[in-house]
Amino acid sequence: MPGLEDLYREIILDHYRNPRNRGELAAPPAQRVEGYNPLCGDEIVVYLLVSDGEVNDVKITGQGCSISQSSASMMSAAVKGKTVDEARALIRAFKGMMSIHESRLEGEGDDAADQLLEEVKLGDLEALQGVVKFPVRIKCATLSWNTLAQGLDQAASA
Ligand code: ZN
């Protein structure tokens, strides 16, 4: 029987080989945000279509290591169709999961945050949790999420 680490490796490789929501959106009306992780050379472009406080569509292009690209794929699948508030909460929960010291989410500390974190951990995203053991790779995993946050800010001020 394969161990959990093997299962996680499979999930990451699946998203790397068959990335979800790959492609581009016309910008405008979509937001286009580029992210770059100089430590590893990862590049991500996030296209974000936000209207009425909802993330209607997400597309991703880019290149880089399997962690950065699979995380982007998982991110796109996780936030598509969510409200902007839910997407922001997911970003916080994911980055909380990626923080080395399992610190509590800043300014949250309530049941809603715990529930969100549980949701993140139950999905494919949990597969990325092993990355925490390799601090250099954390930036690979969080790149697309930071880029998404930028896109949400951009959409809010558009
Ligand atoms: Zn990387």
Side-chain angles (χ1 to χ4, degrees):
M1 209 181 128
L4 204 54
E5 300 249 324
D6 294 321
L7 175 68
Y8 285 170
R9 198 171 302 123
E10 278 305 306
I11 293 172
I12 289 170
L13 281 176
D14 175 52
H15 277 271
Y16 181 57
R17 291 178 183 137
N18 311 296
R20 321 302 195 258
N21 304 300
R22 193 89 182 162
E24 300 180 6
L25 293 172
Q31 307 297 324
R32 180 186 186 279
V33 189
E34 287 176 31
Y36 181 56
N37 170 22
L39 291 176
C40 183
D42 306 315
E43 297 169 8
I44 292 285
V45 184
V46 174
Y47 295 86
L48 205 57
L49 195 62
V50 175
S51 69
D52 296 330
E54 210 172 275
V55 181
N56 287 338
D57 207 356
V58 187
K59 294 278 186 199
I60 308 282
T61 64
Q63 54 190 3
C65 71
S66 57
I67 299 293
S68 68
Q69 303 304 308
S70 62
S71 180
S73 169
M74 292 177 197
M75 177 278 282
S76 71
V79 302
K80 191 173 169 177
K82 295 279 197 302
T83 68
V84 169
D85 287 345
E86 286 168 338
R88 287 192 192 280
L90 268 171
I91 294 170
R92 283 199 301 274
F94 182 74
K95 292 182 75 169
M97 186 177 86
M98 281 294 141
S99 66
I100 303 167
H101 299 294
E102 285 280 323
S103 55
R104 286 198 65 86
L105 300 173
E106 276 178 53
E108 294 276 336
D110 57 352
D111 290 348
D114 287 341
Q115 198 188 326
L116 250 172
L117 198 56
E118 218 39 56
E119 219 173 273
V120 167
K121 286 187 176 179
L122 287 174
D124 285 356
L125 291 168
E126 187 183 10
L128 289 168
Q129 205 176 12
V131 169
V132 176
K133 282 183 280 184
F134 310 97
V136 231
R137 310 309 297 277
I138 293 175
K139 288 219 182 298
C140 302
T142 54
L143 174 65
S144 57
W145 295 81
N146 289 328
T147 312
L148 169 69
Q150 245 180 290
L152 291 174
D153 289 346
Q154 206 169 288
S157 62

